[in-house]
Amino acid sequence: MAIHHKIIGDGFPIVMVHGWTLDHQAMLHAMEPNFEGRSGWKRIYLDLPGMGQSEAQSFIKNSDDMLAAVLEKLDELIPDQPFIVCGYSYGGYMARGIVEARHDRVRGLMLLAPMVIPDTDKRELPKQIVLKKDPDALSNLSSLEAEAFSAMGVVQGQREWERFRDDILMPSTQTNEEFVNRIRENGYGFTFEFSHTLEYPTLIVTGRQDHVVGYQDAWRLFEDYPRASFAVLDMGGHNVQIEQEDVFNSLVQNWLDKLES
């Protein structure tokens, strides 16, 4: 299976799944700082099919097929091993699918600004708002860059722009648009219902001003995870890990401490 992946470190496997039309760098830049000074973790960063350096696969026509491809890759990389899974946005939806399919092996879960409801029209979303803006940071951008950043950024400063550029904007240019559009049309949501709970440390991080997937739909997942912590971060949009980096990192550290204990 031609799914590009990057492995960092040795130890207990922790699988990272990025968002729609992104690549592994979004999760790598968000998560790697939290493993400095920590040993015993094997981080597996995936590029979903048709995104990043992973080729589009003709047999993948919907999200069920996408999940099947990811599971096949995981069974190849960590056969019969317990593991932890982290997912961002659409990757959070995938992560829940992984929990459903490999319930007996998953030992922890992190959902970052997770997509909960595939149908955009049915999501509960706050209005789009910008809470902090550095005009100097925006003045140097091309019109396309400024438009993309302004459409997403709740906090629009120089550091936020650089992370947005590297984690979100640049990776999206590698996406096979025809392939991802086909999935959006043929079955963006899974055909199965989620039925499993998870009795292991779980972290759900959302942005209060996330106008892409919102935070209210994610709250409805809370009771499915008896060991869950749930955070809604102010001054955080869909890229809350960039806009509230320090708080995000402290939450992840706390979650990793629980997993290690």
Side-chain angles (χ1 to χ4, degrees):
M1 173 58 61
I3 291 185
H4 175 79
H5 64 282
K6 181 169 187 167
I7 295 177
I8 303 176
D10 296 301
F12 200 92
I14 182 164
V15 176
M16 315 282 188
V17 191
H18 63 77
W20 192 243
T21 74
L22 305 182
D23 72 5
H24 72 276
Q25 294 174 98
M27 287 299 278
L28 186 138
H29 295 153
M31 296 298 287
E32 275 307 300
N34 295 295
F35 292 97
E36 287 170 16
R38 278 184 196 269
S39 59
W41 291 101
K42 177 183 187 174
R43 286 90 72 193
I44 302 169
Y45 296 92
L46 303 176
D47 279 358
L48 290 172
M51 303 173 221
Q53 295 176 56
S54 291
E55 296 168 10
Q57 303 288 336
S58 59
F59 75 88
I60 298 176
K61 295 183 171 55
N62 53 41
S63 286
D64 284 13
D65 297 339
M66 181 75 81
L67 176 61
V70 169
L71 291 168
E72 187 180 327
K73 188 66 183 178
L74 295 184
D75 289 344
E76 175 194 311
L77 291 172
I78 42 173
D80 302 321
Q81 282 178 270
F83 62 93
I84 285 152
V85 62
C86 306
Y88 168 38
S89 191
Y90 177 77
Y93 191 67
M94 275 289 130
R96 291 172 60 219
I98 292 168
V99 170
E100 194 66 23
R102 297 289 181 270
H103 186 255
D104 55 336
R105 288 166 53 193
V106 178
R107 298 290 183 270
L109 175 67
M110 196 270 281
L111 301 174
L112 167 58
M115 179 183 97
V116 178
I117 296 179
D119 187 340
T120 313
D121 296 335
K122 292 180 178 167
R123 298 174 187 171
E124 278 199 54
L125 303 175
K127 285 193 172 66
Q128 185 178 358
I129 189 170
V130 178
L131 293 175
K132 192 176 179 185
K133 192 177 209 170
D134 176 0
D136 294 338
L138 292 170
S139 65
N140 299 320
L141 308 185
S142 72
S143 58
L144 279 173
E145 289 172 335
E147 188 183 344
F149 187 40
S150 299
M152 291 285 279
V154 172
V155 179
Q156 298 176 7
Q158 185 61 33
R159 174 150 176 81
E160 289 79 20
W161 155 247
E162 288 168 3
R163 285 277 309 271
F164 176 79
R165 176 195 64 204
D166 296 345
D167 296 8
I168 313 296
L169 196 57
M170 295 297 287
S172 67
T173 62
Q174 297 185 69
T175 298
N176 183 320
E177 294 293 340
E178 187 184 343
F179 173 77
V180 297
N181 289 339
R182 186 175 73 199
I183 292 170
R184 286 300 286 257
E185 288 163 16
N186 291 342
Y188 195 44
F190 296 134
T191 57
F192 56 86
E193 298 293 321
F194 293 103
S195 60
H196 281 106
T197 60
L198 191 68
E199 305 279 345
Y200 293 97
T202 299
L203 174 63
I204 305 171
V205 183
T206 63
R208 181 68 175 80
Q209 288 81 25
D210 183 341
H211 66 281
V212 179
V213 299
Y215 65 90
Q216 286 151 295
D217 296 324
W219 175 251
R220 299 195 182 104
L221 304 177
F222 190 59
E223 294 302 330
D224 293 339
Y225 304 108
R227 298 275 322 267
S229 297
F230 189 98
V232 187
L233 303 186
D234 182 41
M235 291 184 78
H238 194 49
N239 303 316
V240 62
Q241 75 283 8
I242 294 173
E243 295 169 329
Q244 292 300 319
E245 185 178 8
D246 292 345
V247 188
F248 171 72
N249 285 345
S250 67
L251 289 165
V252 172
Q253 295 279 4
N254 174 264
W255 174 68
L256 288 169
D257 288 344
K258 290 175 192 167
L259 290 167
E260 288 177 355
S261 68

